[in-house]
Structures are given as structure tokens and as C-alpha cells.
Amino acid sequence: MTLAACGVRPTPILTGGDAPVISSHELTVFLVSAGRDALVRRTRTYSGTVDTATAINLLVAGLTEEEKKLGLVTEVPASSERVYAISNVIVLPEAMLELSRWAQFQLYCTAVASRAKVEGVPATGIECP
């Protein structure tokens, strides 16, 4: 066996920066039960930076496969448009101008739970499951 070198000299160990960190958060969304008679609290995992509108954007994105198998439904119209939070106001896409009672409850409870989680604001006196 023959070994040959190409003239590249050894270098010292090169250190890099710290490994990237992905923050994972558990956010709460509210869906409607299969019987359409109650809200159901669901926890979804989200990786990345979160703000008050993140959970609502997860809700607007639609049901997960597991939620569909459980027979849960949503009355919040699915949309590819993002929801924005400005101070204490949630700005919804124009397609959501007319919402059913259940959709309004879903958005309200999801927003309250998200704000409590992200901003540390207590959700006292709120009627959500």
C-alpha cells in the first residue's frame, strides 16, 4: 500500500460558534368538539419565536391529522394569510369578517391562552375550558 501527501500542512483545531438553539413552545388552541357542543383545549408544539398571534396562526392553519382522527372540528376559516397582534388587538384576514359564534369563541380563548403563555398575563375571570 502506498500513501502520498499533497502538501497540505496540518492546522490547529478550529472552534466554531455555539450550536444553534431551537426553542420549542407548547401553545394552546381551542377546537370544537365532534358534537359541536363544547370547546376542547388542544396543545400544539411550535418551534421558533412566538408572539401573541402565533397560536392563532396555528389555529387558522387548520386541524392536524390527529385532531381530525379525534373528530374535532374548527369553525375558524382556514387561511394562508397571517394574523397579526398589535398591542391588545388581533388583526384577522379580511376573509374572516363574518364568524360563527363557535369561531369567535375559538379565537377568543386561543388569544387569551396565548397571551397568558407568551406575555405572562394571568387569564383570570375568563370563561374558557
Side-chain angles (χ1 to χ4, degrees):
M1 181 184 308
T2 305
L3 292 175
C6 63
V8 176
R9 296 181 185 201
T11 59
I13 297 174
L14 302 174
T15 58
D18 293 334
V21 176
I22 297 176
S23 60
S24 180
H25 303 277
E26 288 188 345
L27 297 172
T28 302
V29 297
F30 286 83
L31 302 174
V32 181
S33 66
R36 294 186 184 260
D37 57 354
L39 287 181
V40 177
R41 179 187 294 259
R42 295 288 299 168
T43 301
R44 292 188 184 172
T45 303
Y46 182 80
S47 297
T49 306
V50 296
D51 62 11
T52 303
T54 304
I56 295 176
N57 280 308
L58 291 175
L59 178 64
V60 171
L63 299 169
T64 65
E65 289 303 315
E66 179 184 351
E67 292 162 350
K68 289 176 187 175
K69 288 178 185 174
L70 292 171
L72 300 175
V73 295
T74 181
E75 292 201 7
V76 175
S79 175
S80 59
E81 294 182 61
R82 288 192 46 82
V83 172
Y84 296 94
I86 302 171
S87 186
N88 290 334
V89 176
I90 301 295
V91 181
L92 299 173
E94 190 174 330
M96 293 187 195
L97 288 178
E98 294 185 34
L99 296 170
S100 71
R101 180 174 160 244
W102 282 116
Q104 291 174 32
F105 286 151
Q106 285 181 263
L107 289 165
Y108 173 77
C109 289
T110 299
V112 168
S114 173
R115 187 164 183 244
K117 171 79 175 176
V118 174
E119 297 178 20
V121 177
T124 56
I126 306 296
E127 294 293 325
C128 293

